[in-house]
């Protein structure tokens, strides 16, 4: 398989499995990622998704340059559209998706991480949008998501130069949430996933959609929607349970969502 999917309780892990090519992504990887995110989206028992790369060297070293080197315009359009579909599928997945970045996150690999909700990186992580050195601009959302995350000035510099960003700089510019030693990466990402999975799944899912509105919706419309989604929660089990548990000084027992 071009990717592996495993589950451990409420946490699903998707591992891109092409370590001999530093997990560079071809059409098959993208199709398999789409299927995996569609499957996970339909699962009420999964509360958080981890996305990582196989091996010790790379999260994803980019779109597969060997495949791209022989593409014509129509094939490149299809490849770009497919990369966008994966980014949108990650954003449309109702559960939070955490990128667990265990090495190179270059080009399409950086872009894949940008579509995730949270990025946890190892001290060995290296980011870049080096497309211009290959004679192309970013094609899987980097020109849009990187400025939204780190600001236009820094994104422009990184995209125009293609220079590499190590983990210490990545945390400073807000490209990642946390940097940890390589040996602790999985355990730190798993505990973050566990802490999310202890919260109300329906409230976490609603929150993911509301945060997306910060970029994709008109401000007033987004606030109106937030108020409505907030009120809707008061007809749900988890609101009663969460608040009653607080009053009774006990842990809340939340329900899986109805899918
Ligand atoms: N596409 C296809 N194959 C890739 C790849 C990519 N994006 N990135 C790495 N690989 C392959 C290499 O071709 C090599 O395969 P080979 O053994 O068949 O030659 C293998 O992965 C190992 O990479 P290698 O370059 O030998 O390792 P390195 O430690 O010397 O360098 C990198 C690592 C990541 C710096 C280097 O591979 C690189 O620059 N990759 C391309 C990064 C890039 O521009 N990505 C953006 C694409 S849009």
């Amino acid at each position: 398989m071009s990717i592996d999917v495993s589950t451990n309780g409420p946490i699903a892990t998707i591992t891109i499995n092409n370590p001999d090519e530093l997990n560079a992504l071809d059409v098959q990887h993208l199709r398999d990622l789409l299927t995996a995110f569609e499957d996970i989206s339909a699962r009420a028992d999964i509360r958080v998704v981890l996305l990582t790369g196989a091996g010790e060297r790379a999260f994803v070293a980019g779109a597969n340059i060997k495949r791209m080197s022989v593409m014509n315009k129509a094939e490149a359009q299809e490849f770009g559209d497919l990369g966008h579909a994966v980014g949108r599928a990650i954003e449309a997945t109702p559960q939070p998706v955490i990128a667990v970045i265990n090495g190179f996150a270059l080009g399409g690999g950086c872009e894949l991480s940008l579509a995730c909700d949270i990025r946890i990186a190892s001290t060995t992580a290296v980011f870049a949008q080096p497309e211009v050195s290959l004679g192309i601009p970013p094609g899987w959302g980097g020109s849009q998501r990187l400025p939204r995350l780190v600001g236009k000035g820094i994104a422009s510099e990184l995209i125009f130069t293609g220079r590499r960003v190590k983990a210490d700089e990545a945390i400073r510019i807000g490209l990642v949430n946390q940097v940890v030693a390589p040996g602790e990466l999985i355990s730190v990402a798993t505990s973050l996933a566990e802490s999310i999975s202890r919260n109300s799944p329906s409230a976490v899912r609603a929150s993911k959609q509301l945060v997306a509105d910060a970029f994709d919706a008109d401000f007033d419309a987004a606030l109106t929607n937030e108020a409505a989604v907030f009120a809707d929660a008061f007809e749900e089990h988890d609101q009663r349970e969460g608040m009653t548990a607080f009053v009774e000084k006990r842990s809340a027992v939340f329900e899986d969502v109805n899918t």
Side-chain angles (χ1 to χ4, degrees):
M1 271 298 280
S2 82
I3 64 168
D4 295 324
V5 182
S6 63
T7 57
N8 182 11
I11 301 167
T13 301
I14 300 175
T15 305
I16 295 154
N17 191 5
N18 180 23
D20 289 347
E21 291 183 316
L22 303 182
N23 303 319
L25 300 174
D26 61 20
V27 166
Q28 194 59 49
H29 291 103
L30 297 176
R31 291 201 176 124
D32 289 345
L33 282 168
L34 269 183
T35 304
F37 280 106
E38 277 164 17
D39 290 349
I40 287 171
S41 292
R43 286 189 55 175
D45 59 318
I46 298 300
R47 297 185 177 191
V48 184
V49 185
L50 303 180
L51 176 63
T52 192
E56 315 239 303
R57 298 203 55 213
F59 172 68
V60 168
N64 195 308
I65 301 169
K66 293 166 192 162
R67 308 277 190 286
M68 284 195 295
S69 66
V70 293
M71 282 181 188
N72 61 29
K73 179 178 174 178
E75 289 163 336
Q77 176 81 50
E78 202 178 325
F79 200 43
D81 289 347
L82 198 50
H84 281 161
V86 172
R88 282 311 220 176
I90 292 171
E91 288 167 341
T93 295
Q95 301 95 330
V97 181
I98 302 172
V100 182
I101 301 154
N102 51 318
F104 290 113
L106 307 177
C110 185
E111 290 170 305
L112 191 68
S113 79
L114 292 171
C116 298
D117 299 293
I118 296 170
R119 283 150 293 281
I120 305 291
S122 139
T123 50
T124 60
V126 178
F127 298 82
Q129 294 292 160
E131 288 87 349
V132 290
S133 71
L134 297 166
I136 54 172
W140 289 353
S143 66
Q144 301 307 302
R145 293 192 180 95
L146 191 60
R148 282 169 161 83
L149 189 63
V150 302
K152 186 181 174 197
I154 292 173
S156 297
E157 181 206 328
L158 296 182
I159 291 170
F160 301 165
T161 63
R163 76 171 173 85
R164 293 190 190 160
V165 170
K166 291 186 179 163
D168 56 345
E169 183 179 0
I171 187 107
R172 187 164 51 74
I173 64 176
L175 182 50
V176 297
N177 297 62
Q178 205 176 336
V179 174
V180 300
E184 291 171 14
L185 184 62
I186 293 296
S187 65
V188 168
T190 302
S191 12
L192 174 63
E194 284 169 350
S195 83
I196 294 171
S197 71
R198 282 192 287 276
N199 292 322
S200 159
S202 59
V204 169
R205 287 173 179 227
S207 299
K208 174 166 174 171
Q209 285 196 328
L210 291 172
V211 171
D213 283 351
F215 299 99
D216 296 338
D218 167 76
F219 188 68
D220 283 331
L223 286 183
T224 302
N225 183 48
E226 187 193 63
V229 173
F230 173 77
D232 284 346
F234 284 71
E235 290 186 333
E236 300 294 331
H237 163 278
D238 281 1
Q239 176 270 331
R240 288 188 299 279
E241 168 61 10
M243 294 190 184
T244 306
F246 176 83
V247 172
E248 294 177 354
K249 299 188 188 297
R250 61 174 175 80
S251 297
V253 180
F254 293 117
E255 284 185 335
D256 282 333
V257 292
N258 296 317
T259 55

